[in-house]
Amino acid sequence: MNPQLTAWQKLQARTLNVEQARAIDEMAVEKYGMHSLVLMENAALGCVDWLRNKFRSPQPTTILCGRGNNGGDGLAIARHLTIRGWPCCVIQLGPVSELSTDARANFRILTSGHGLPVHVADEPLKSETKQILRGSTVIIDALLGTGARGTPRAPLDDWIDRANRCTAFRLAIDIPTGIDAETGAAPGLYFAADATLTFVARKPAMNYPHAEPMFGEIEVLPIGIPSQMMLEILAQL
């Protein structure tokens, strides 16, 4: 590897499994004093910058959000897109009381004063939300993230099926729902991504030829961890 590359360029070219990626988040919080909400905010801003570079002008966008931190990323993305003039709608897997701590924080921020449509549901999509999907130019999958295994269960299977039927550009955050981040296995329905934005480094599934087409275009984005931490991670790989 070129010794002149920055720590970020070196890390961006590496692969981290799910356990290693989780350990990086813990290291950032516990050793380097970063709040987990800051990591989520940085991830969301990276996704928003990528979208703005991709499309150049605001596009009608629907974001499918799960209960965990992947859903929290989606909620933060919705807020930043809305601030930048993008017409957005969120379909949030409920109940809100079961959201992760950081996802719930972003849900409160988003719904406290942005005037953005948020549909909370734990059932197959109704006619109103189906129409919202059909009218979207971009659909974002922020449902489950890298820790999920197996075929998506109801109602997410319906949500993904509806999204896959749309002509919109489909963007997955970190990993398309329904694909195993370690093996690239997709035992059933999965989000058919045109592009996938993952964080810090590639995930193992992205390196398997059989799985590569499922991700579409792959972009690795930073989450704002300091250079010294990147060097520490690289030394351990």
Side-chain angles (χ1 to χ4, degrees), residues 44-59 61 77 79-86 138 140 169 171 197 221:
L45 285 168
C47 294
V48 168
D49 286 344
W50 187 91
L51 279 163
R52 295 178 74 202
N53 288 331
K54 178 75 174 179
F55 290 99
R56 301 295 179 181
S57 62
Q59 303 293 321
T61 299
I77 290 168
R79 170 163 45 88
H80 284 292
L81 285 176
T82 301
I83 290 168
R84 289 157 176 79
W86 285 50
V138 177
I140 298 177
F169 183 91
L171 176 67
L197 305 181
L221 302 177

Side-chain angles (χ1 to χ4, degrees), residues 14-15 202-212 215 218:
R14 303 299 290 271
T15 299
R202 293 170 69 92
K203 305 308 179 289
M206 296 172 180
N207 298 325
Y208 292 115
H210 76 274
E212 189 174 1
F215 296 99
I218 297 172

